Amino acid sequence: MIAVAIDGPSGAGKSTIARRAAQALGYIYVDTGALYRAIAYQMLRGGVDLDDSAAVADGLAGMRIELKFIDGEQRVFANGADVSDLIRTPEVSMGASRVSAVRAVRDFLFELQRSLARENNVVMDGRDIGTVVLPDAQVKIFLTADDTVRAKRRFDELTAKGADVTYEEVLADVRQRDYNDTHRETAPLRRAEDAVLANTTDCSFEESVHLVLTIIRERV
Ligand code: DC
């Protein structure tokens, strides 16, 4: 099996770029952020205090998180319900950043991610795929862009969906999540030594896809 690990900060375009690369290669695309989001969503609904790591760890008891691929598209299920469309709010984004700092949450999702890569050729994106989840991936890419550019892209995405947010709010959110993701104790976001750095600050979407596909094709 072939695994392509794509890590990087939020808003770098990982998911759209990774999805397109997976399509071009005929691999499945695994968005691991959706797993953390599904857990955050479920816990927010259950009134769990996400800053209380013991409560978060307890909240995992009996929780069932699954990924299914319907017409090649990933859908995420929490306790049997498809929550894919409910996990894209700013509240869940920030919640996912919080729960992902809890070791029990990362351990809980580890085997699910590993098993997907054991059974399929995958392009998997996240924060710790090249460093922790798939350290033997044939290709590792660290995809990034300046935070102002990432915030602008996320802002455009959110407002296109009708969300009521300002650019300043989105930028503050991006910076807060960068800080959380790089400073947590468990599996912090960092570039694996053997990851190729892809900076898309000055790239259009198509150029970013081309860059990533070129890096992959040179290696597999
Ligand atoms: O990629 P995303 O925005 O959907 O990720 C949501 C949050 O989940 C993000 O703040 C960091 C966390 N995450 C993680 O810690 N490890 C992963 N492999 C994927 C996401």
Side-chain angles (χ1 to χ4, degrees), residues 85-121:
D85 300 324
L86 303 169
I87 58 172
R88 299 292 160 193
T89 64
E91 188 195 14
V92 176
S93 296
M94 202 50 81
S97 182
R98 295 217 164 85
V99 300
S100 68
V102 178
R103 174 177 288 277
V105 170
R106 309 203 71 85
D107 292 347
F108 181 81
L109 294 175
F110 182 76
E111 183 49 33
L112 170 59
Q113 298 171 84
R114 297 273 302 177
S115 65
L116 286 164
R118 247 193 320 273
E119 290 154 21
N120 307 275
N121 291 326

Side-chain angles (χ1 to χ4, degrees), residues 1-6 15 17-32 67-75 112-125 134 216:
M1 289 299 161
I2 293 171
V4 177
I6 302 185
S15 55
I17 295 167
R19 180 180 293 115
R20 273 281 295 278
Q23 267 169 6
L25 296 160
Y27 297 1
I28 65 165
Y29 163 58
V30 183
D31 163 16
T32 63
L67 286 186
K68 294 182 187 168
F69 295 86
I70 299 169
D71 295 331
E73 272 298 300
Q74 168 184 305
R75 307 294 294 182
L112 170 59
Q113 298 171 84
R114 297 273 302 177
S115 65
L116 286 164
R118 247 193 320 273
E119 290 154 21
N120 307 275
N121 291 326
V122 293
V123 176
M124 191 175 284
D125 87 29
L134 304 175
I216 297 171

Side-chain angles (χ1 to χ4, degrees), residues 4 14 18 51 67 76 85 114 127 130 149 151 175 204:
V4 177
K14 287 192 306 290
D51 291 319
L67 286 186
V76 60
D85 300 324
R114 297 273 302 177
R127 302 294 187 288
V149 171
R175 289 186 169 153
S204 67

